[in-house]
Amino acid sequence: MVINKDLLQTRKKISDKRPKFVRQESWRYDRLAPNWRKPRGKDNKMRLQVSGVPRLVKIGYRGPRVARGLHPSGYTEVMVFNKNDLSRVDPNKDAIRIGRTVGRRKREIILAEASKMKIKVLNPQTRSAEKIEEAEKIEEAEKIEEAEKIEEAEEAEVVEQEADDTVQEADDTEQDAKSKSKKAN
């Protein structure tokens, strides 16, 4: 659910008109990255704002004040590090982002409290849970591989046993044939 849709639309409309600010002569030299740096220099064309040269960053290009700091969902982001921080959150206009240094146990407490208060959480997934799920998948795959290897080994043993049995039977029949031929002689 997106709130403040009209604010987001006005912010996007202004953002679309904003030029791409690039570092002076970054298009000319590969060693210069295009990320913005303020032009300095006595005869710098960009600093002098000569026509036909890329624009300078100015305050007039800024977005609307009411739309600044809004998350793309329209909520205002509030950083939360413990359960007590949730008291300053308005569920109708604020969404929380749990700090990255918060551990699993506190994160789960915060998530439970946020769901009771019906507060939107922007990063609800616990990293440890993701890692645990990945580890479990890897373990399952390894177990399946081990089981397949064991089955293959058992099949190989059965084949070897059958081959040994046939060789033994062949030897037994040869010995029987020899003993019968000796008796006949």
Side-chain angles (χ1 to χ4, degrees), residues 1-8 11 69-77 92-97 120-122:
M1 175 180 96
V2 176
I3 64 169
N4 297 327
K5 208 170 202 173
D6 54 334
L7 293 177
L8 292 173
R11 181 173 78 176
L70 288 181
H71 187 264
S73 64
Y75 288 95
T76 307
E77 283 190 43
N92 296 326
K93 63 178 184 173
D94 296 335
I96 64 168
R97 181 174 299 279
K120 182 176 176 69
V121 182
L122 300 174

Side-chain angles (χ1 to χ4, degrees), residues 27-68:
W27 57 89
R28 187 173 183 190
Y29 301 109
D30 287 337
R31 66 178 178 261
L32 297 178
N35 47 334
W36 173 253
R37 295 288 184 275
K38 184 177 178 180
R40 294 174 174 86
K42 189 169 93 174
D43 297 324
N44 191 300
K45 303 291 185 280
M46 205 166 177
R47 184 188 64 80
L48 295 172
Q49 301 177 39
V50 173
S51 176
V53 179
R55 304 284 182 112
L56 286 180
V57 173
K58 292 183 181 176
I59 199 164
Y61 290 113
R62 203 163 182 191
R65 178 175 285 162
V66 289
R68 282 184 215 147

Side-chain angles (χ1 to χ4, degrees), residues 105-119:
R105 188 174 0 135
K106 261 194 193 174
R107 179 179 283 266
E108 289 172 357
I109 292 169
I110 291 170
L111 288 171
E113 193 69 24
S115 65
K116 285 180 192 172
M117 296 173 70
K118 297 182 179 173
I119 298 173

Side-chain angles (χ1 to χ4, degrees), residues 109-158:
I109 292 169
I110 291 170
L111 288 171
E113 193 69 24
S115 65
K116 285 180 192 172
M117 296 173 70
K118 297 182 179 173
I119 298 173
K120 182 176 176 69
V121 182
L122 300 174
N123 58 342
Q125 186 67 22
T126 58
R127 290 189 183 119
S128 59
E130 292 173 356
K131 290 180 182 177
I132 290 169
E133 289 174 9
E134 290 176 19
E136 288 175 353
K137 289 178 183 178
I138 291 170
E139 287 177 11
E140 289 177 20
E142 289 174 354
K143 286 179 183 178
I144 291 170
E145 288 177 14
E146 287 178 21
E148 290 174 354
K149 287 180 182 177
I150 292 171
E151 287 177 11
E152 289 174 6
E154 289 175 353
E155 289 175 6
E157 286 179 19
V158 169

